[in-house]
Amino acid sequence: MANQGDGAVRFGVNYTPSADWFHHWLDFDLEAVHRDFASISSLGADHVRVFPVWSIFQPNRTLINSRALQDLSAMVDAAAEHGLDVSVDALQGHLSSFDFLPSWLTSWHRANLFTDPIVRSGQVSYLRELAASLAEKKNVLGLSLGNEFSQFASVEHPDVQPVSVQQAECWLGEMLAALEAGFPGGQHCHAEYDSAFFDPQHPFTPAGTARGGSMSTVHSWVFNQTAQRYGGMSEESLRLAEYLTELARAWATDPARPIWLQEIGAPAPHVAPEDAGEFTRKALRNALDCEGLWGVTWWCSHDVDRALADFPELEYDLGLFRTDQTLKAQGEAFQEIAGSRQDRPEQRSTSLVLDVGDETSAPGRAQCAPGGAFFESWMTLAKAGARPGIVLASQREASGYLQARGIEQLVELGETQALSR
Amino acid sequence: MANQGDGAVRFGVNYTPSADWFHHWLDFDLEAVHRDFASISSLGADHVRVFPVWSIFQPNRTLINSRALQDLSAMVDAAAEHGLDVSVDALQGHLSSFDFLPSWLTSWHRANLFTDPIVRSGQVSYLRELAASLAEKKNVLGLSLGNEFSQFASVEHPDVQPVSVQQAECWLGEMLAALEAGFPGGQHCHAEYDSAFFDPQHPFTPAGTARGGSMSTVHSWVFNQTAQRYGGMSEESLRLAEYLTELARAWATDPARPIWLQEIGAPAPHVAPEDAGEFTRKALRNALDCEGLWGVTWWCSHDVDRALADFPELEYDLGLFRTDQTLKAQGEAFQEIAGSRQDRPEQRSTSLVLDVGDETSAPGRAQCAPGGAFFESWMTLAKAGARPGIVLASQREASGYLQARGIEQLVELGETQALSR
């Protein structure tokens, strides 16, 4: 099979407002949104991913801010005027190092965000009501649970929320059901960062990432030690999104499950500003060589105004546009790639076998991280031109599955020569 | 001297919006504010204390939300139309168990709220700009730093910010100077809860409370173990505000420094709902028997809508009005007292001597708390009709000071008979 996809790969951007960043919800300016969307549309983008701020949208567990819903509705309609579809993230949660938990979940009211039944009931109400407010909008694709919400379950988080693999899965199921209840048939996802694929301590697992919701999502950030270890313009960095996409595919039980490269960006200084255009071009071309890609959504539309304080340095300059709407080198590269959409790629006939032990909890997943044996072996194959896919150890003998994926050759980790089946 | 005050005691209320509580800043409805102010004005109140929410007004360290400032300005003008002066609390911070720290101060961005120089610079910017936005308003009295902001320094706070007595005093001085810089000559205060008077571990001290800003503030809440220990309608509960007012006076270096009973309420079930009217009447009459009282500000104007979740039970029903603007028994009592203002009371000629050790850090202040020896001795004198004041041990021999306060008799703690000087 040459092409399993239906329709062209979608190109879009994560929408970061050029004025006031996401704080614009507090002083919403529809004209400013129109200006930003006009710029985004000029790139040939067909969609935006947008970010309500949780503490503004649900300030009390039983209060959904109706003005904020109206502003979101106006934003969605503005996008439609510019020919843009919209995907909405719900539980923000977390954005560019800033957390936005409502006061009913902090300090005196702190409670586990994943396991407390009262908290969950509040999240469900919000997700359902937010989704329902968007369900009739023709240009809304669906919702994501929230941007990298599972970082709250990371042991690195200052207020880590202890949660087991089982509890994380349960939470995901309940939240996704709430989106579906509010907006039946929408393209609803959860939005994981790479700890799910790489960190054996992380309770959100690769299996969960690749099985809940209507698509798997990939967030590809070379500051995850890839750039530090190999260089920002190394093949490893340029192929990180491709690699994560193949990893997500391996973890899906359905070989035809679509994958959304939901975030990819060119963070300085990991990628030098003068390399940003080339990085964008090459990283996108590599990612587009993966079959079954629903779309690519660049992070992000606009730089963060340097008048705003306290962002990590790399977050300021991730935009395709500057705050004055002028296009940057990475914006030109994005526009070029988005305007030259190619045929869907062939399936990958050679796959590297991934054995992480128990495939529910994935205790051996650290080998997939930058510097890990699996990561490096896959990159070696990729650099040799093998276009490697990935197959879980449990699927080694699953001939129907392998056939559906078009896999002709499996390579075991550590083998110096490819083994033919 | 019969009366050191100039002008009548001021009566006001802490303004809790009848719809959406303080979340109304997110969906500001000026007409709703007018309705609330009309009710408040009908009580004979002459002022309101109002509460910007910090995370809404300063979402980023270098971004003051201009729409929020406009809404606050409109609120102040609405108050003027109803004959109400306004005092504005800045760093909320903390309201009715909910904390509102902006995202630039939480989780990944957590930093000490009192000692971090970058945080302090952000607070100073906000205080100065907020104060400046109000300086030209004829009906704005001044600002308080924030509602019970020092609770963040309490060892009981889940995210306690370690701070020394010296650092706390330094912070207070810097913040009060910022208010004065933005709004020269305003009646600026800081707003402490009773831990400053009672808790030897608390870095905010009675001395600091009674010496910074233009007035000392008192927050009188019988749920501080007074009601639990003695009963909600006990003399101890009915005289708590009076006691705290005299305590604040004792700690002031200036005998003529005004005292603002900034918060007092009738919290159920500590005060039974059927007793709330009588509690209000008696507690206010006792407090009004203190000289030098600038004013009394009841907590609060309106009940919290029970459609809003997760408030501590006692916070829902503290209003003088229900959310439908109907007057409650405590509202009738407040109206009665506010409408029958009397002459300023005589000075108190008998005073109990308070010895807490070093008067900067006040290591012995626990004796002042409900159940403490000093608290109980003062109450015994008060119940015997002695109208006791309080004098610090260091002032025992300060004849000029004692004369200015009109003190003729000092009673040492533990003495069974009053000692004449």
Side-chain angles (χ1 to χ4, degrees):
Chain A
M1 284 179 290
N3 186 343
Q4 292 194 319
D6 48 342
V9 174
R10 307 288 302 260
F11 281 81
V13 298
N14 289 282
Y15 174 45
T16 45
S18 61
D20 295 351
W21 191 62
F22 297 109
H23 304 305
H24 80 143
W25 293 112
L26 292 171
D27 190 6
F28 189 74
D29 180 347
L30 188 58
E31 291 312 306
V33 171
H34 269 289
R35 281 193 296 276
D36 290 345
F37 284 175
S39 293
I40 292 167
S41 182
S42 75
L43 294 177
D46 57 56
H47 70 276
V48 286
R49 180 174 168 229
V50 306
F51 302 90
V53 170
W54 192 12
S55 53
I56 296 174
F57 277 66
Q58 189 181 27
N60 178 274
R61 181 163 58 83
T62 53
L63 178 65
I64 315 288
N65 177 353
S66 56
R67 183 161 80 173
L69 290 185
Q70 288 164 20
D71 290 340
L72 176 61
S73 172
M75 176 184 280
V76 166
D77 293 345
E81 289 185 42
H82 295 277
L84 297 165
D85 287 340
V86 181
S87 180
V88 179
D89 267 49
L91 295 168
Q92 272 64 249
H94 178 80
L95 287 163
S96 303
S97 85
F98 294 99
D99 285 346
F100 292 95
L101 291 183
S103 63
W104 55 278
L105 287 168
T106 63
S107 63
W108 305 100
H109 291 271
R110 192 166 294 154
N112 191 296
L113 298 175
F114 301 101
T115 62
D116 184 282
I118 302 290
V119 175
R120 290 165 64 129
S121 77
Q123 292 168 327
V124 163
S125 299
Y126 171 54
L127 293 172
R128 197 171 44 214
E129 188 163 339
L130 181 67
S133 79
L134 299 164
E136 301 302 316
K137 300 277 190 187
K138 287 194 173 19
N139 64 322
V140 175
L141 300 164
L143 291 88
S144 287
L145 283 187
N147 181 47
E148 302 185 357
F149 194 81
S150 66
Q151 56 104 25
F152 288 108
S154 163
V155 292
E156 291 171 14
H157 194 279
D159 304 314
V160 56
Q161 312 282 312
V163 54
S164 69
V165 167
Q166 166 71 27
Q167 287 168 326
E169 187 162 319
C170 184
W171 180 84
L172 273 178
E174 187 177 3
M175 298 303 125
L176 287 165
L179 294 178
E180 182 66 20
F183 183 164
Q187 178 184 285
H188 307 311
C189 311
H190 55 105
E192 300 299 332
Y193 67 123
D194 56 19
S195 281
F197 290 111
F198 296 162
D199 178 2
Q201 289 191 277
H202 197 55
F204 285 75
T205 61
T209 296
R211 291 170 198 171
S214 60
M215 298 191 288
S216 299
T217 56
V218 165
H219 291 193
S220 178
W221 287 107
V222 297
F223 56 63
N224 71 349
Q225 298 305 314
T226 305
Q228 293 91 324
R229 188 177 282 267
Y230 307 101
M233 292 299 287
S234 64
E235 281 293 303
E236 285 80 359
S237 287
L238 295 171
R239 290 183 182 276
L240 179 65
E242 174 191 0
Y243 168 69
L244 286 166
T245 301
E246 291 304 321
L247 205 48
R249 185 192 326 288
W251 281 100
T253 47
D254 172 8
R257 177 177 164 93
I259 299 165
W260 179 6
L261 177 50
Q262 196 177 39
E263 292 186 13
I264 175 173
H270 304 289
V271 177
E274 61 269 27
D275 292 331
E278 190 182 352
F279 175 91
T280 302
R281 207 169 277 114
K282 290 185 170 171
L284 284 178
R285 285 209 180 110
N286 285 336
L288 291 167
D289 191 32
C290 299
E291 48 142 357
L293 202 62
W294 173 80
V296 173
T297 310
W298 193 263
W299 189 284
C300 56
S301 67
H302 291 79
D303 284 347
V304 176
D305 190 335
R306 286 192 174 264
L308 296 174
D310 300 332
F311 285 76
E313 176 58 28
L314 67 82
E315 299 283 353
Y316 282 103
D317 297 316
L318 289 168
L320 298 176
F321 293 94
R322 298 180 192 89
T323 56
D324 65 0
Q325 312 289 346
T326 56
L327 192 62
K328 294 163 63 185
Q330 49 268 61
E332 290 172 8
F334 178 92
Q335 187 172 32
E336 174 192 320
I337 302 287
S340 61
R341 297 178 199 181
Q342 301 158 348
D343 287 341
R344 291 276 181 169
E346 301 284 326
Q347 291 185 312
R348 296 185 169 216
S349 58
T350 299
S351 274
L352 189 63
V353 176
L354 173 61
D355 187 349
V356 296
D358 169 60
E359 291 182 359
T360 299
S361 58
R365 59 185 131 151
Q367 68 184 291
C368 301
F374 186 86
F375 178 97
E376 299 212 331
S377 294
W378 188 93
M379 288 292 173
T380 300
L381 284 173
K383 287 188 276 190
R387 294 187 72 240
I390 301 169
V391 165
L392 296 185
S394 63
Q395 303 300 307
R396 269 195 199 95
E397 311 292 336
S399 57
Y401 170 83
L402 297 175
Q403 194 170 19
R405 287 192 49 192
I407 293 171
E408 294 162 9
Q409 189 179 39
L410 288 179
V411 183
E412 297 290 333
L413 188 65
E415 286 182 333
T416 51
Q417 295 190 318
L419 297 175
S420 287
R421 284 179 62 81
Chain B
M1 284 180 288
N3 185 344
Q4 294 194 317
D6 49 340
V9 174
R10 307 288 302 260
F11 281 81
V13 298
N14 289 281
Y15 175 44
T16 46
S18 61
D20 295 350
W21 191 62
F22 296 109
H23 304 305
H24 79 145
W25 293 112
L26 291 171
D27 190 5
F28 191 72
D29 180 347
L30 189 58
E31 291 311 306
V33 171
H34 269 290
R35 282 193 296 277
D36 290 345
F37 283 174
S39 293
I40 291 167
S41 181
S42 75
L43 294 176
D46 57 55
H47 70 276
V48 286
R49 180 175 167 226
V50 306
F51 301 90
V53 170
W54 191 14
S55 53
I56 296 172
F57 277 67
Q58 190 182 26
N60 178 274
R61 182 163 57 83
T62 52
L63 178 65
I64 315 288
N65 177 354
S66 56
R67 181 161 82 175
L69 290 185
Q70 287 164 20
D71 290 341
L72 175 61
S73 173
M75 175 184 281
V76 166
D77 292 344
E81 289 186 42
H82 295 278
L84 297 166
D85 288 339
V86 181
S87 180
V88 179
D89 267 49
L91 296 168
Q92 273 63 248
H94 178 80
L95 288 162
S96 303
S97 85
F98 294 98
D99 285 346
F100 292 95
L101 291 184
S103 63
W104 55 278
L105 287 168
T106 64
S107 63
W108 305 100
H109 291 273
R110 193 166 292 154
N112 191 296
L113 298 175
F114 302 101
T115 63
D116 185 282
I118 301 292
V119 175
R120 289 165 65 130
S121 77
Q123 292 168 327
V124 162
S125 299
Y126 171 54
L127 293 172
R128 198 172 43 212
E129 187 163 340
L130 182 67
S133 79
L134 299 164
E136 301 301 315
K137 301 276 191 187
K138 287 194 175 16
N139 65 321
V140 174
L141 301 165
L143 291 89
S144 288
L145 283 187
N147 181 47
E148 301 185 358
F149 194 80
S150 66
Q151 56 104 27
F152 288 108
S154 164
V155 293
E156 292 172 13
H157 195 280
D159 303 315
V160 56
Q161 312 282 313
V163 54
S164 69
V165 166
Q166 165 71 24
Q167 288 168 325
E169 188 162 318
C170 184
W171 181 83
L172 274 177
E174 187 177 3
M175 298 303 126
L176 286 165
L179 294 178
E180 181 67 20
F183 183 166
Q187 180 184 285
H188 307 311
C189 310
H190 56 105
E192 299 300 331
Y193 67 122
D194 57 19
S195 281
F197 290 111
F198 295 162
D199 178 2
Q201 289 192 276
H202 197 57
F204 284 76
T205 61
T209 297
R211 292 171 198 169
S214 59
M215 298 192 287
S216 299
T217 57
V218 164
H219 290 195
S220 178
W221 287 106
V222 298
F223 56 63
N224 71 348
Q225 297 305 313
T226 305
Q228 293 92 323
R229 188 176 282 268
Y230 307 102
M233 291 299 287
S234 64
E235 281 294 303
E236 284 81 357
S237 287
L238 296 171
R239 291 184 183 274
L240 180 65
E242 174 192 359
Y243 168 68
L244 285 166
T245 301
E246 291 303 322
L247 206 47
R249 185 192 325 288
W251 281 99
T253 46
D254 172 8
R257 176 178 164 93
I259 299 165
W260 178 8
L261 177 51
Q262 195 177 40
E263 293 187 13
I264 175 173
H270 304 289
V271 176
E274 60 270 25
D275 293 332
E278 191 183 350
F279 175 91
T280 303
R281 208 169 277 114
K282 289 184 171 172
L284 284 179
R285 285 208 180 112
N286 285 335
L288 291 168
D289 191 30
C290 298
E291 48 141 357
L293 202 63
W294 173 80
V296 173
T297 311
W298 193 263
W299 189 284
C300 56
S301 66
H302 291 80
D303 284 347
V304 176
D305 191 336
R306 284 191 174 267
L308 297 174
D310 300 331
F311 286 77
E313 176 58 29
L314 67 83
E315 298 284 353
Y316 282 103
D317 297 316
L318 289 168
L320 298 175
F321 294 93
R322 298 179 192 89
T323 56
D324 66 359
Q325 311 290 347
T326 56
L327 193 62
K328 294 162 65 183
Q330 49 269 61
E332 291 172 7
F334 178 92
Q335 188 172 32
E336 176 192 318
I337 302 288
S340 61
R341 298 178 198 180
Q342 299 157 351
D343 288 340
R344 291 276 181 166
E346 300 283 328
Q347 291 185 313
R348 297 185 170 216
S349 58
T350 299
S351 276
L352 189 63
V353 176
L354 173 60
D355 187 350
V356 295
D358 168 60
E359 291 181 1
T360 299
S361 58
R365 58 187 132 153
Q367 67 184 293
C368 300
F374 186 85
F375 179 97
E376 298 213 331
S377 294
W378 188 93
M379 288 292 175
T380 300
L381 285 174
K383 288 188 275 190
R387 295 185 72 241
I390 300 170
V391 165
L392 297 186
S394 62
Q395 302 300 309
R396 268 197 200 96
E397 311 294 336
S399 56
Y401 169 82
L402 298 174
Q403 193 171 17
R405 287 192 50 192
I407 294 170
E408 295 162 9
Q409 190 177 40
L410 288 178
V411 183
E412 298 290 333
L413 189 66
E415 287 182 332
T416 51
Q417 294 189 320
L419 297 176
S420 286
R421 282 181 63 83

